[in-house]
Every structure is written in structure tokens, then in C-alpha cells.
């Protein structure tokens, strides 16, 4: 499986004030795409985190992130 989240922070090192802005649906074996709007205010610094589990956990992923002002 593949689990993807986008986190936001006021710190470039993500040492404090880290908030999960987006959580995507867990991916298993099929191709998928998903569009999300964040319900939280995003900060200056953002990062994508992903976790893979299972014997055959080879995934290719693309995350694009835009900020509307």
C-alpha cells in the first residue's frame, strides 16, 4: 500500500508547528488519481510524506501543490 500526506509548517526544518494539510486515500494495486482542497491554512513551508508497506511496494507518485492567494 501507499499512504501520502502533505504537511505544512512555519519552520523550514519542520521542528515545530507541523500540521497535516492533506491526506490522500490509500493506494493498493491500481492506478489512481485524486484532487484535494485543504481545509487548513497552509504555511510557507510544505512537504510530501509517503509510506509504503508490503512485499511489492514499488510505486511511482507525483504530487503537485498550488497555493491560491
Amino acid at each position: 500500500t501507499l499512504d501520502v500526506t502533505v504537511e505544512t509548517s512555519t519552520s523550514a526544518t519542520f521542528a515545530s508547528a507541523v500540521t497535516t494539510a492533506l491526506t490522500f486515500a490509500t493506494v493498493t494495486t491500481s492506478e489512481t488519481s485524486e484532487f484535494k482542497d485543504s481545509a487548513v491554512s497552509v504555511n510557507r513551508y510544505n512537504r510530501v510524506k509517503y509510506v509504503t508497506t508490503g512485499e511489492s511496494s514499488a510505486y511511482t507518485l507525483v504530487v503537485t501543490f498550488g497555493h491560491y492567494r
Side-chain angles (χ1 to χ4, degrees):
T1 61
L2 171 67
D3 295 299
V4 180
T5 58
V6 175
E7 294 181 337
T8 186
S9 179
T10 57
S11 168
T13 61
F14 282 80
S16 62
V18 177
T19 303
T20 299
L22 300 167
T23 301
F24 294 89
T26 299
V27 176
T28 53
T29 57
S30 61
E31 289 184 22
T32 186
S33 66
E34 193 170 353
F35 177 85
K36 292 280 202 166
D37 282 327
S38 179
V40 300
S41 296
V42 293
N43 296 304
R44 180 176 180 180
Y45 302 100
N46 300 283
R47 69 179 176 191
V48 174
K49 290 181 69 177
Y50 65 93
V51 176
T52 59
T53 57
E55 292 180 29
S56 177
S57 55
Y59 293 94
T60 302
L61 66 115
V62 175
V63 176
T64 59
F65 184 81
H67 184 246
Y68 178 76
R69 291 182 176 220

